[in-house]
Amino acid sequence: MRALRFLLQKEFRQMFRDKGFTGRLFIAPAIQLILLPMAANYTIKNINIAIVDHDHSVTSQKLSQKILSSGYFKLADYTDFDSRANKLIESDKADLVLEIPNKFERNLITDNTQKTGIEVNAINGVKASIGFGYLSGIISDFNNDLRATWVQPERTNPLPTISVEPSFWYNPLLTYYIFMVPAILVSLVTGVAGLSAAFNIVKEKEIGTIEQINVTPIKKYEFILGKLIPFLAVGGVVFTVGLLISWILYGILPLGNIAVLYLFLYVFLFAILGFGLLISTYSETQQQANSIMFLFMMVFNMMSGLYTPFDSMPGWAQFVSHLFPISYFIDVMRMVVIKGSGLHDIRIHILCVFLIGLVLNTWAVLNYRKTS
Amino acid sequence: MNEIVIKTNKLTKRFGDFVAVDEITFDVHKGEIFGFLGANGAGKTTAMRMLCGLSIPTSGEATVAGYDVFKQPEEIKKNIGYMSQKFSLYEDLTVKENIEFYGGIYGLSNKEIKEKSTELIDKLGLHNEAKKLVSSLPLGWKQKLSFSVAIVHTPKIVFLDEPTGGVDPSMRRQFWDLIYEGADKGITIFITTHYLDEAEYCNRVSIMVDGKIEALDSPAGLRQTYEAKTIDEVFYKLARKAKRSAD
C-alpha cells in the first residue's frame, strides 16, 4: 500500500500544477448553473399570435385585449384577411392564428354559441401545444366572464358543474429552476469528475508514462485506486461548489438531509469513475476517449430525465436508462432536494447504483492490463 | 561473468500472421553490457518488451533474473529497470519529485529515497534544476535523468531502448559514462541502439534481421568473422539481406 501513497502524492501535485484545473473546479460549475437553467425553462413566453378579426365588434376587441394582456403573446398582426395570416405562419412570423368569424358578437348574443378557429404552427411542437393551451385557457376564461355579465346568475344552478382546484405539492409555484438546477448539478459532476478520470489515464498512455508504470512492480488495484481517489475528492468539491451556487443564486436549500445527498454522491462517483476507467482501458488516445464520452454524455443527458419526463419514454427505453447511474442520481437529487426524501426512500437507488458501479469497476480492472 | 541473468530459448512473438520476433535464443551474463542492434522494424523493441514483462510471448521460453516471463512477470518487474524509447518521466513534476515518485513505487524507504535523490542530483550536477519541472530540461539531461531513475532501485538488469536517440555526441559520451558506472556496480545492461559506434562500447553485440538474431559475438569477434574493419560494415553486410521494410 506504500506505493499508493506515492501515486496519490503524484496525482495531487499534477492536479494543482495544472493551470486549467481550478477553472474546471469552480468556473465550469458556475457557468453551467447560471446558463443552463435559462435554456431549460419550460415557461414559454413571446408566442407570436396573429389575430384575424372579421367581426370588429366590442366583444372581439375585448377578447384580443385579454389575450395580449396575458403576457404570453406578442401580436404579430391584426388583420381581417385569412390569407395574410396564413402567410405569416408560412414565413414563421406567427406561431398561432386566432380567427374570429363574422357575426361573432351577434351569434353569441342570439344563439348563445359561436365557434372560433385557431391555427397552430406546429414545427416547434412544444411551443405549439403550450401556446394552444394558454390560448384555450384564456378563451374559456373569457367565456366565463361573458356568462357572468350577460346571463343572469340563477339562484340555483340547473347544470351541476365540477370545478377543479389544483394544489401543487413540493413546488407550489411550479418554478422550473427548482426542478432543473439539482439535475443540472448531476450532469456537471458527471462531466467534471467522471470524465476527467478517463482523460487522465489516457493521457498517461499517450505520453508513454503508463508504460514506465507498467514495468514497475506496482499492483493493478494500487494504480486504479491511485486514479480513483483524487477524482472522488474532485467530485466532492464540484458538488459542494454547485450546491453553494444553487443556494446563492436560486435560493435552493435541500429539504432533505444533506448527508444523504453526499452518501449517494459517493456511491454515484464510484460508479461513474468506474465507467470513466472502463472507457480509458479501451482508448489509446484522448481523441478516442473524447468521442466515446461525447456519445455517452449525449445519451445520458437526453435519456436520464434531465430535460424530459422519464415516464413518457417507452418501456424498453426506460429500461435502458435504468442502466445509467446518472438517471438514479437525478431522481435522488429531486427527491431529496425538493421533496425532502430520506435514506429509506432512496435505498433502492443506492443499491442499484452500487451494483452498476461494481460491474463497471470489475470490468475495468479486468480489462486493464499491465501486460499485453 | 558466468552467472546467467537472461536466458531465452526460441522466444517468438507473432501479431496475427506477422512474426515480429522469430525464435531468438541467447544468454546474457551478469554485469555484461549487451548490445541489441537491428534496423528499424527488426523486432528489437518487441523482444525487449517481452523480457520486461510488458508483452506476453507467443511461444518459446525465457527467464529474466531467474523468473519465467510467462508465469512471473510481476517478479521480474521487481528486479529490472526499463527506459523506453519515449521519454517517460513526468514532465509536470520536478526532477526531485520524479526521483521520489519512482523510488517510492519501487518500495524504497523514505531514508533511501532522500539519500538517492541527493546522490543522483550530485552526480548529474542538477543542483539548480532539482526544483524545476522536468519539461524545462534539455533532452540530453532528460535522458541522463531517465536512466538514473530507471536504476534508482539498483535492479539486477536494466533495459534501455534506444536511450541516446537524438542526443548530441558529447552528451552520448556522458551517457555512456553513466552506463559503465552502472555496469561496474554489477547491473547488467541490455541496450538497443541505432548508433553503430556505440556497439563498440558493448561487451557483446547481437544483430537482429527480420526478427531473427543473425550474429552474436563480441565486437572484435564480429569484425573478425565478417572480415570487416568496423561494426558498421558488419551491420551492412547482414542488413542487406533484410526483406522487411522499415516501419
Side-chain angles (χ1 to χ4, degrees), chain A residues 2 10 13-14 17 204 206 209 211-212 214-215 217 370-372, chain B residues 49 53-56 74 77 82 86 88 90 92 97 102 106 108 110:
Chain A
R2 194 173 141 77
K10 164 200 154 259
R13 274 177 174 159
Q14 288 179 306
R17 214 157 270 164
E204 292 224 22
E206 264 187 2
T209 43
E211 192 149 287
Q212 202 65 44
N214 286 344
V215 86
K370 284 182 77 182
T371 312
S372 57
Chain B
R49 287 172 53 87
L54 285 174
S55 171
I56 298 168
E74 295 306 305
K77 286 170 186 177
Y82 173 68
K86 270 188 180 175
S88 50
Y90 290 95
D92 50 356
E97 287 166 352
Y102 281 107
Y106 278 110
L108 302 190
N110 288 348

PDB file of all heavy atoms in Angstrom, chain A residues 2 10 13-14 17 204 206 209 211-212 214-215 217 370-372, chain B residues 49 53-56 74 77 82 86 88 90 92 97 102 106 108 110:
ATOM      1  N   ARG A   2       2.161   1.072   0.240  1.00  0.00           N
ATOM      2  CA  ARG A   2       3.033   2.234   0.293  1.00  0.00           C
ATOM      3  C   ARG A   2       3.078   2.925  -1.071  1.00  0.00           C
ATOM      4  O   ARG A   2       3.112   4.160  -1.147  1.00  0.00           O
ATOM      5  CB  ARG A   2       4.423   1.772   0.704  1.00  0.00           C
ATOM      6  CG  ARG A   2       5.346   2.876   1.120  1.00  0.00           C
ATOM      7  CD  ARG A   2       6.637   2.279   1.667  1.00  0.00           C
ATOM      8  NE  ARG A   2       7.773   3.079   1.243  1.00  0.00           N
ATOM      9  CZ  ARG A   2       8.075   4.240   1.797  1.00  0.00           C
ATOM     10  NH1 ARG A   2       7.355   4.711   2.761  1.00  0.00           N
ATOM     11  NH2 ARG A   2       9.114   4.934   1.363  1.00  0.00           N
ATOM     12  N   LYS A  10       1.658  12.091  -6.199  1.00  0.00           N
ATOM     13  CA  LYS A  10       1.949  12.496  -7.573  1.00  0.00           C
ATOM     14  C   LYS A  10       0.709  13.081  -8.241  1.00  0.00           C
ATOM     15  O   LYS A  10       0.775  14.142  -8.867  1.00  0.00           O
ATOM     16  CB  LYS A  10       2.447  11.280  -8.352  1.00  0.00           C
ATOM     17  CG  LYS A  10       2.423  11.454  -9.830  1.00  0.00           C
ATOM     18  CD  LYS A  10       2.437  10.112 -10.533  1.00  0.00           C
ATOM     19  CE  LYS A  10       1.811  10.173 -11.876  1.00  0.00           C
ATOM     20  NZ  LYS A  10       0.478   9.714 -12.046  1.00  0.00           N
ATOM     21  N   ARG A  13      -0.128  16.521  -6.861  1.00  0.00           N
ATOM     22  CA  ARG A  13       0.853  17.509  -7.317  1.00  0.00           C
ATOM     23  C   ARG A  13       0.534  17.939  -8.747  1.00  0.00           C
ATOM     24  O   ARG A  13       0.532  19.117  -9.066  1.00  0.00           O
ATOM     25  CB  ARG A  13       2.254  16.905  -7.286  1.00  0.00           C
ATOM     26  CG  ARG A  13       2.915  17.042  -5.939  1.00  0.00           C
ATOM     27  CD  ARG A  13       4.265  16.367  -5.947  1.00  0.00           C
ATOM     28  NE  ARG A  13       4.965  16.631  -4.700  1.00  0.00           N
ATOM     29  CZ  ARG A  13       5.955  15.881  -4.250  1.00  0.00           C
ATOM     30  NH1 ARG A  13       6.368  14.827  -4.954  1.00  0.00           N
ATOM     31  NH2 ARG A  13       6.554  16.175  -3.117  1.00  0.00           N
ATOM     32  N   GLN A  14       0.260  16.939  -9.595  1.00  0.00           N
ATOM     33  CA  GLN A  14      -0.010  17.258 -11.004  1.00  0.00           C
ATOM     34  C   GLN A  14      -1.290  18.073 -11.143  1.00  0.00           C
ATOM     35  O   GLN A  14      -1.377  18.991 -11.950  1.00  0.00           O
ATOM     36  CB  GLN A  14      -0.135  15.971 -11.818  1.00  0.00           C
ATOM     37  CG  GLN A  14       1.189  15.280 -12.020  1.00  0.00           C
ATOM     38  CD  GLN A  14       1.039  14.002 -12.804  1.00  0.00           C
ATOM     39  OE1 GLN A  14       0.257  13.123 -12.447  1.00  0.00           O
ATOM     40  NE2 GLN A  14       1.759  13.881 -13.890  1.00  0.00           N
ATOM     41  N   ARG A  17      -0.847  21.621 -10.243  1.00  0.00           N
ATOM     42  CA  ARG A  17       0.066  22.306 -11.142  1.00  0.00           C
ATOM     43  C   ARG A  17      -0.614  22.618 -12.482  1.00  0.00           C
ATOM     44  O   ARG A  17      -0.158  23.457 -13.225  1.00  0.00           O
ATOM     45  CB  ARG A  17       1.281  21.405 -11.378  1.00  0.00           C
ATOM     46  CG  ARG A  17       2.539  22.174 -11.544  1.00  0.00           C
ATOM     47  CD  ARG A  17       3.730  21.308 -11.224  1.00  0.00           C
ATOM     48  NE  ARG A  17       4.097  21.373  -9.818  1.00  0.00           N
ATOM     49  CZ  ARG A  17       4.896  20.492  -9.240  1.00  0.00           C
ATOM     50  NH1 ARG A  17       5.388  19.478  -9.919  1.00  0.00           N
ATOM     51  NH2 ARG A  17       5.213  20.619  -7.970  1.00  0.00           N
ATOM     52  N   GLU A 204      -1.808   9.502 -19.851  1.00  0.00           N
ATOM     53  CA  GLU A 204      -0.586   8.762 -19.489  1.00  0.00           C
ATOM     54  C   GLU A 204      -0.229   7.745 -20.566  1.00  0.00           C
ATOM     55  O   GLU A 204       0.944   7.473 -20.801  1.00  0.00           O
ATOM     56  CB  GLU A 204      -0.748   8.071 -18.133  1.00  0.00           C
ATOM     57  CG  GLU A 204      -0.823   9.046 -16.984  1.00  0.00           C
ATOM     58  CD  GLU A 204       0.018   8.619 -15.781  1.00  0.00           C
ATOM     59  OE1 GLU A 204       0.958   7.828 -15.941  1.00  0.00           O
ATOM     60  OE2 GLU A 204      -0.284   9.102 -14.671  1.00  0.00           O
ATOM     61  N   GLU A 206      -0.892   8.193 -23.757  1.00  0.00           N
ATOM     62  CA  GLU A 206      -0.396   8.967 -24.892  1.00  0.00           C
ATOM     63  C   GLU A 206       1.054   9.384 -24.703  1.00  0.00           C
ATOM     64  O   GLU A 206       1.858   9.264 -25.621  1.00  0.00           O
ATOM     65  CB  GLU A 206      -1.253  10.226 -25.072  1.00  0.00           C
ATOM     66  CG  GLU A 206      -2.339  10.053 -26.079  1.00  0.00           C
ATOM     67  CD  GLU A 206      -3.069  11.352 -26.361  1.00  0.00           C
ATOM     68  OE1 GLU A 206      -2.720  12.408 -25.798  1.00  0.00           O
ATOM     69  OE2 GLU A 206      -4.000  11.302 -27.142  1.00  0.00           O
ATOM     70  N   THR A 209       4.013   7.467 -20.195  1.00  0.00           N
ATOM     71  CA  THR A 209       4.407   7.227 -18.808  1.00  0.00           C
ATOM     72  C   THR A 209       3.757   5.962 -18.251  1.00  0.00           C
ATOM     73  O   THR A 209       4.286   5.360 -17.326  1.00  0.00           O
ATOM     74  CB  THR A 209       4.031   8.420 -17.914  1.00  0.00           C
ATOM     75  OG1 THR A 209       2.727   8.850 -18.262  1.00  0.00           O
ATOM     76  CG2 THR A 209       5.001   9.553 -18.096  1.00  0.00           C
ATOM     77  N   GLU A 211       3.628   3.154 -19.560  1.00  0.00           N
ATOM     78  CA  GLU A 211       4.497   2.015 -19.785  1.00  0.00           C
ATOM     79  C   GLU A 211       5.559   1.925 -18.690  1.00  0.00           C
ATOM     80  O   GLU A 211       5.919   0.851 -18.223  1.00  0.00           O
ATOM     81  CB  GLU A 211       5.156   2.134 -21.155  1.00  0.00           C
ATOM     82  CG  GLU A 211       5.834   0.866 -21.549  1.00  0.00           C
ATOM     83  CD  GLU A 211       5.823   0.662 -23.038  1.00  0.00           C
ATOM     84  OE1 GLU A 211       4.741   0.349 -23.559  1.00  0.00           O
ATOM     85  OE2 GLU A 211       6.882   0.815 -23.661  1.00  0.00           O
ATOM     86  N   GLN A 212       6.025   3.089 -18.290  1.00  0.00           N
ATOM     87  CA  GLN A 212       7.009   3.126 -17.214  1.00  0.00           C
ATOM     88  C   GLN A 212       6.396   2.622 -15.907  1.00  0.00           C
ATOM     89  O   GLN A 212       7.067   1.968 -15.116  1.00  0.00           O
ATOM     90  CB  GLN A 212       7.500   4.581 -17.048  1.00  0.00           C
ATOM     91  CG  GLN A 212       8.840   4.723 -16.367  1.00  0.00           C
ATOM     92  CD  GLN A 212       9.976   4.132 -17.186  1.00  0.00           C
ATOM     93  OE1 GLN A 212      10.050   4.339 -18.391  1.00  0.00           O
ATOM     94  NE2 GLN A 212      10.844   3.381 -16.554  1.00  0.00           N
ATOM     95  N   ASN A 214       3.823   0.442 -15.865  1.00  0.00           N
ATOM     96  CA  ASN A 214       3.527  -0.978 -16.056  1.00  0.00           C
ATOM     97  C   ASN A 214       4.747  -1.863 -15.863  1.00  0.00           C
ATOM     98  O   ASN A 214       4.630  -3.063 -15.659  1.00  0.00           O
ATOM     99  CB  ASN A 214       2.954  -1.226 -17.456  1.00  0.00           C
ATOM    100  CG  ASN A 214       1.532  -0.735 -17.554  1.00  0.00           C
ATOM    101  OD1 ASN A 214       0.886  -0.496 -16.540  1.00  0.00           O
ATOM    102  ND2 ASN A 214       1.045  -0.586 -18.773  1.00  0.00           N
ATOM    103  N   VAL A 215       5.925  -1.275 -15.961  1.00  0.00           N
ATOM    104  CA  VAL A 215       7.141  -2.064 -15.832  1.00  0.00           C
ATOM    105  C   VAL A 215       7.635  -2.059 -14.375  1.00  0.00           C
ATOM    106  O   VAL A 215       8.618  -2.685 -14.041  1.00  0.00           O
ATOM    107  CB  VAL A 215       8.197  -1.567 -16.854  1.00  0.00           C
ATOM    108  CG1 VAL A 215       9.003  -0.419 -16.315  1.00  0.00           C
ATOM    109  CG2 VAL A 215       9.077  -2.691 -17.326  1.00  0.00           C
ATOM    110  N   PRO A 217       6.792  -2.906 -10.218  1.00  0.00           N
ATOM    111  CA  PRO A 217       6.032  -3.979  -9.562  1.00  0.00           C
ATOM    112  C   PRO A 217       4.726  -3.498  -8.941  1.00  0.00           C
ATOM    113  O   PRO A 217       4.110  -4.230  -8.172  1.00  0.00           O
ATOM    114  CB  PRO A 217       6.992  -4.475  -8.466  1.00  0.00           C
ATOM    115  CG  PRO A 217       7.956  -3.386  -8.249  1.00  0.00           C
ATOM    116  CD  PRO A 217       8.040  -2.589  -9.502  1.00  0.00           C
ATOM    117  N   LYS A 370      -1.438  -4.787 -17.421  1.00  0.00           N
ATOM    118  CA  LYS A 370      -0.059  -4.300 -17.353  1.00  0.00           C
ATOM    119  C   LYS A 370       0.755  -4.970 -18.447  1.00  0.00           C
ATOM    120  O   LYS A 370       1.765  -4.468 -18.868  1.00  0.00           O
ATOM    121  CB  LYS A 370       0.547  -4.627 -15.979  1.00  0.00           C
ATOM    122  CG  LYS A 370       0.060  -3.710 -14.871  1.00  0.00           C
ATOM    123  CD  LYS A 370       0.721  -4.044 -13.561  1.00  0.00           C
ATOM    124  CE  LYS A 370       2.134  -3.512 -13.506  1.00  0.00           C
ATOM    125  NZ  LYS A 370       2.794  -3.872 -12.241  1.00  0.00           N
ATOM    126  N   THR A 371       0.277  -6.129 -18.886  1.00  0.00           N
ATOM    127  CA  THR A 371       0.994  -6.890 -19.900  1.00  0.00           C
ATOM    128  C   THR A 371       0.069  -7.099 -21.078  1.00  0.00           C
ATOM    129  O   THR A 371      -1.083  -7.447 -20.868  1.00  0.00           O
ATOM    130  CB  THR A 371       1.392  -8.256 -19.325  1.00  0.00           C
ATOM    131  OG1 THR A 371       1.985  -8.053 -18.063  1.00  0.00           O
ATOM    132  CG2 THR A 371       2.347  -8.965 -20.233  1.00  0.00           C
ATOM    133  N   SER A 372       0.560  -6.891 -22.302  1.00  0.00           N
ATOM    134  CA  SER A 372      -0.323  -7.092 -23.455  1.00  0.00           C
ATOM    135  C   SER A 372       0.023  -8.382 -24.169  1.00  0.00           C
ATOM    136  O   SER A 372       1.140  -8.846 -24.090  1.00  0.00           O
ATOM    137  CB  SER A 372      -0.215  -5.916 -24.415  1.00  0.00           C
ATOM    138  OG  SER A 372       1.119  -5.759 -24.805  1.00  0.00           O
TER     139      SER A 372
ATOM    140  N   ARG B  49      10.410  -5.797 -24.912  1.00  0.00           N
ATOM    141  CA  ARG B  49       9.158  -5.702 -24.148  1.00  0.00           C
ATOM    142  C   ARG B  49       8.738  -7.061 -23.575  1.00  0.00           C
ATOM    143  O   ARG B  49       8.167  -7.132 -22.494  1.00  0.00           O
ATOM    144  CB  ARG B  49       8.038  -5.125 -25.015  1.00  0.00           C
ATOM    145  CG  ARG B  49       8.207  -3.614 -25.284  1.00  0.00           C
ATOM    146  CD  ARG B  49       7.193  -3.120 -26.307  1.00  0.00           C
ATOM    147  NE  ARG B  49       5.834  -3.472 -25.928  1.00  0.00           N
ATOM    148  CZ  ARG B  49       5.053  -2.742 -25.133  1.00  0.00           C
ATOM    149  NH1 ARG B  49       5.510  -1.618 -24.654  1.00  0.00           N
ATOM    150  NH2 ARG B  49       3.844  -3.152 -24.819  1.00  0.00           N
ATOM    151  N   GLY B  53       8.353  -8.126 -19.335  1.00  0.00           N
ATOM    152  CA  GLY B  53       7.042  -8.487 -18.814  1.00  0.00           C
ATOM    153  C   GLY B  53       5.952  -7.545 -19.277  1.00  0.00           C
ATOM    154  O   GLY B  53       4.877  -7.510 -18.703  1.00  0.00           O
ATOM    155  N   LEU B  54       6.219  -6.759 -20.344  1.00  0.00           N
ATOM    156  CA  LEU B  54       5.184  -5.861 -20.869  1.00  0.00           C
ATOM    157  C   LEU B  54       4.377  -6.551 -21.951  1.00  0.00           C
ATOM    158  O   LEU B  54       3.280  -6.128 -22.280  1.00  0.00           O
ATOM    159  CB  LEU B  54       5.816  -4.595 -21.455  1.00  0.00           C
ATOM    160  CG  LEU B  54       6.324  -3.555 -20.465  1.00  0.00           C
ATOM    161  CD1 LEU B  54       7.057  -2.443 -21.193  1.00  0.00           C
ATOM    162  CD2 LEU B  54       5.177  -2.973 -19.665  1.00  0.00           C
ATOM    163  N   SER B  55       4.935  -7.612 -22.535  1.00  0.00           N
ATOM    164  CA  SER B  55       4.293  -8.273 -23.654  1.00  0.00           C
ATOM    165  C   SER B  55       4.463  -9.784 -23.481  1.00  0.00           C
ATOM    166  O   SER B  55       5.564 -10.240 -23.153  1.00  0.00           O
ATOM    167  CB  SER B  55       4.963  -7.777 -24.938  1.00  0.00           C
ATOM    168  OG  SER B  55       4.540  -8.509 -26.038  1.00  0.00           O
ATOM    169  N   ILE B  56       3.372 -10.522 -23.633  1.00  0.00           N
ATOM    170  CA  ILE B  56       3.450 -11.968 -23.419  1.00  0.00           C
ATOM    171  C   ILE B  56       3.916 -12.653 -24.704  1.00  0.00           C
ATOM    172  O   ILE B  56       3.333 -12.439 -25.765  1.00  0.00           O
ATOM    173  CB  ILE B  56       2.083 -12.542 -22.993  1.00  0.00           C
ATOM    174  CG1 ILE B  56       1.665 -11.909 -21.657  1.00  0.00           C
ATOM    175  CG2 ILE B  56       2.127 -14.062 -22.870  1.00  0.00           C
ATOM    176  CD1 ILE B  56       0.232 -12.173 -21.283  1.00  0.00           C
ATOM    177  N   GLU B  74       5.447 -10.251 -12.770  1.00  0.00           N
ATOM    178  CA  GLU B  74       5.500  -9.248 -11.693  1.00  0.00           C
ATOM    179  C   GLU B  74       6.768  -9.410 -10.844  1.00  0.00           C
ATOM    180  O   GLU B  74       7.285  -8.434 -10.315  1.00  0.00           O
ATOM    181  CB  GLU B  74       4.250  -9.312 -10.814  1.00  0.00           C
ATOM    182  CG  GLU B  74       2.946  -8.930 -11.542  1.00  0.00           C
ATOM    183  CD  GLU B  74       2.993  -7.560 -12.221  1.00  0.00           C
ATOM    184  OE1 GLU B  74       3.298  -6.576 -11.543  1.00  0.00           O
ATOM    185  OE2 GLU B  74       2.740  -7.502 -13.447  1.00  0.00           O
ATOM    186  N   LYS B  77       9.504  -7.720 -12.704  1.00  0.00           N
ATOM    187  CA  LYS B  77       9.433  -6.260 -12.620  1.00  0.00           C
ATOM    188  C   LYS B  77      10.110  -5.703 -11.368  1.00  0.00           C
ATOM    189  O   LYS B  77      10.545  -4.563 -11.351  1.00  0.00           O
ATOM    190  CB  LYS B  77       7.972  -5.799 -12.696  1.00  0.00           C
ATOM    191  CG  LYS B  77       7.441  -5.928 -14.119  1.00  0.00           C
ATOM    192  CD  LYS B  77       5.952  -5.719 -14.222  1.00  0.00           C
ATOM    193  CE  LYS B  77       5.507  -6.025 -15.665  1.00  0.00           C
ATOM    194  NZ  LYS B  77       4.079  -5.919 -15.834  1.00  0.00           N
ATOM    195  N   TYR B  82      13.734  -0.084 -16.592  1.00  0.00           N
ATOM    196  CA  TYR B  82      13.380  -0.001 -18.010  1.00  0.00           C
ATOM    197  C   TYR B  82      13.333   1.456 -18.419  1.00  0.00           C
ATOM    198  O   TYR B  82      12.794   2.295 -17.707  1.00  0.00           O
ATOM    199  CB  TYR B  82      12.004  -0.657 -18.223  1.00  0.00           C
ATOM    200  CG  TYR B  82      11.415  -0.519 -19.612  1.00  0.00           C
ATOM    201  CD1 TYR B  82      12.002  -1.166 -20.699  1.00  0.00           C
ATOM    202  CD2 TYR B  82      10.253   0.223 -19.829  1.00  0.00           C
ATOM    203  CE1 TYR B  82      11.450  -1.063 -21.968  1.00  0.00           C
ATOM    204  CE2 TYR B  82       9.700   0.331 -21.092  1.00  0.00           C
ATOM    205  CZ  TYR B  82      10.296  -0.310 -22.154  1.00  0.00           C
ATOM    206  OH  TYR B  82       9.745  -0.219 -23.400  1.00  0.00           O
ATOM    207  N   LYS B  86      10.283   6.281 -25.777  1.00  0.00           N
ATOM    208  CA  LYS B  86       9.621   7.555 -25.486  1.00  0.00           C
ATOM    209  C   LYS B  86      10.135   8.040 -24.151  1.00  0.00           C
ATOM    210  O   LYS B  86      10.282   7.249 -23.222  1.00  0.00           O
ATOM    211  CB  LYS B  86       8.120   7.312 -25.333  1.00  0.00           C
ATOM    212  CG  LYS B  86       7.317   7.430 -26.589  1.00  0.00           C
ATOM    213  CD  LYS B  86       5.852   7.349 -26.169  1.00  0.00           C
ATOM    214  CE  LYS B  86       4.904   7.441 -27.326  1.00  0.00           C
ATOM    215  NZ  LYS B  86       3.518   7.227 -26.873  1.00  0.00           N
ATOM    216  N   SER B  88       9.804   9.044 -20.631  1.00  0.00           N
ATOM    217  CA  SER B  88       8.628   8.724 -19.833  1.00  0.00           C
ATOM    218  C   SER B  88       8.735   9.114 -18.376  1.00  0.00           C
ATOM    219  O   SER B  88       8.188   8.467 -17.511  1.00  0.00           O
ATOM    220  CB  SER B  88       8.297   7.255 -19.968  1.00  0.00           C
ATOM    221  OG  SER B  88       9.442   6.497 -19.741  1.00  0.00           O
ATOM    222  N   TYR B  90       7.642  12.192 -15.678  1.00  0.00           N
ATOM    223  CA  TYR B  90       6.533  13.142 -15.676  1.00  0.00           C
ATOM    224  C   TYR B  90       7.060  14.551 -15.873  1.00  0.00           C
ATOM    225  O   TYR B  90       7.770  15.085 -15.038  1.00  0.00           O
ATOM    226  CB  TYR B  90       5.734  13.023 -14.381  1.00  0.00           C
ATOM    227  CG  TYR B  90       4.972  11.736 -14.327  1.00  0.00           C
ATOM    228  CD1 TYR B  90       5.485  10.618 -13.684  1.00  0.00           C
ATOM    229  CD2 TYR B  90       3.741  11.621 -14.965  1.00  0.00           C
ATOM    230  CE1 TYR B  90       4.790   9.425 -13.662  1.00  0.00           C
ATOM    231  CE2 TYR B  90       3.038  10.433 -14.950  1.00  0.00           C
ATOM    232  CZ  TYR B  90       3.566   9.339 -14.296  1.00  0.00           C
ATOM    233  OH  TYR B  90       2.875   8.162 -14.291  1.00  0.00           O
ATOM    234  N   ASP B  92       5.485  17.273 -15.826  1.00  0.00           N
ATOM    235  CA  ASP B  92       4.902  18.288 -14.940  1.00  0.00           C
ATOM    236  C   ASP B  92       5.268  18.056 -13.471  1.00  0.00           C
ATOM    237  O   ASP B  92       4.654  18.621 -12.583  1.00  0.00           O
ATOM    238  CB  ASP B  92       3.375  18.374 -15.127  1.00  0.00           C
ATOM    239  CG  ASP B  92       2.704  17.021 -15.060  1.00  0.00           C
ATOM    240  OD1 ASP B  92       3.407  15.993 -14.951  1.00  0.00           O
ATOM    241  OD2 ASP B  92       1.463  16.975 -15.104  1.00  0.00           O
ATOM    242  N   GLU B  97      10.881  15.418  -7.547  1.00  0.00           N
ATOM    243  CA  GLU B  97       9.605  14.709  -7.380  1.00  0.00           C
ATOM    244  C   GLU B  97       9.564  13.419  -8.195  1.00  0.00           C
ATOM    245  O   GLU B  97       9.012  12.410  -7.761  1.00  0.00           O
ATOM    246  CB  GLU B  97       8.435  15.618  -7.783  1.00  0.00           C
ATOM    247  CG  GLU B  97       8.163  16.711  -6.769  1.00  0.00           C
ATOM    248  CD  GLU B  97       7.252  17.823  -7.285  1.00  0.00           C
ATOM    249  OE1 GLU B  97       6.928  17.837  -8.499  1.00  0.00           O
ATOM    250  OE2 GLU B  97       6.887  18.688  -6.493  1.00  0.00           O
ATOM    251  N   TYR B 102       9.351   7.510  -8.333  1.00  0.00           N
ATOM    252  CA  TYR B 102       9.763   6.166  -8.769  1.00  0.00           C
ATOM    253  C   TYR B 102      10.440   5.400  -7.638  1.00  0.00           C
ATOM    254  O   TYR B 102      10.250   4.197  -7.504  1.00  0.00           O
ATOM    255  CB  TYR B 102      10.644   6.247 -10.018  1.00  0.00           C
ATOM    256  CG  TYR B 102       9.799   6.461 -11.255  1.00  0.00           C
ATOM    257  CD1 TYR B 102       9.767   7.676 -11.916  1.00  0.00           C
ATOM    258  CD2 TYR B 102       8.978   5.428 -11.732  1.00  0.00           C
ATOM    259  CE1 TYR B 102       8.962   7.880 -13.029  1.00  0.00           C
ATOM    260  CE2 TYR B 102       8.173   5.619 -12.839  1.00  0.00           C
ATOM    261  CZ  TYR B 102       8.173   6.841 -13.482  1.00  0.00           C
ATOM    262  OH  TYR B 102       7.369   7.012 -14.566  1.00  0.00           O
ATOM    263  N   TYR B 106       9.021   1.781  -6.240  1.00  0.00           N
ATOM    264  CA  TYR B 106       9.859   0.581  -6.160  1.00  0.00           C
ATOM    265  C   TYR B 106      10.097   0.160  -4.718  1.00  0.00           C
ATOM    266  O   TYR B 106      10.883  -0.738  -4.446  1.00  0.00           O
ATOM    267  CB  TYR B 106      11.193   0.800  -6.876  1.00  0.00           C
ATOM    268  CG  TYR B 106      11.101   0.590  -8.366  1.00  0.00           C
ATOM    269  CD1 TYR B 106      11.206   1.640  -9.260  1.00  0.00           C
ATOM    270  CD2 TYR B 106      10.895  -0.702  -8.882  1.00  0.00           C
ATOM    271  CE1 TYR B 106      11.111   1.446 -10.629  1.00  0.00           C
ATOM    272  CE2 TYR B 106      10.810  -0.905 -10.246  1.00  0.00           C
ATOM    273  CZ  TYR B 106      10.908   0.160 -11.119  1.00  0.00           C
ATOM    274  OH  TYR B 106      10.817  -0.054 -12.455  1.00  0.00           O
ATOM    275  N   LEU B 108      11.390   1.860  -2.019  1.00  0.00           N
ATOM    276  CA  LEU B 108      12.492   2.351  -1.190  1.00  0.00           C
ATOM    277  C   LEU B 108      11.923   3.039   0.045  1.00  0.00           C
ATOM    278  O   LEU B 108      10.830   3.588   0.011  1.00  0.00           O
ATOM    279  CB  LEU B 108      13.350   3.363  -1.969  1.00  0.00           C
ATOM    280  CG  LEU B 108      13.992   2.924  -3.277  1.00  0.00           C
ATOM    281  CD1 LEU B 108      14.991   3.974  -3.750  1.00  0.00           C
ATOM    282  CD2 LEU B 108      14.684   1.581  -3.135  1.00  0.00           C
ATOM    283  N   ASN B 110      11.834   5.977   3.053  1.00  0.00           N
ATOM    284  CA  ASN B 110      11.990   7.430   2.957  1.00  0.00           C
ATOM    285  C   ASN B 110      13.450   7.851   3.042  1.00  0.00           C
ATOM    286  O   ASN B 110      13.899   8.751   2.354  1.00  0.00           O
ATOM    287  CB  ASN B 110      11.205   8.124   4.073  1.00  0.00           C
ATOM    288  CG  ASN B 110       9.712   8.048   3.816  1.00  0.00           C
ATOM    289  OD1 ASN B 110       9.288   7.673   2.714  1.00  0.00           O
ATOM    290  ND2 ASN B 110       8.930   8.374   4.811  1.00  0.00           N
TER     291      ASN B 110
END
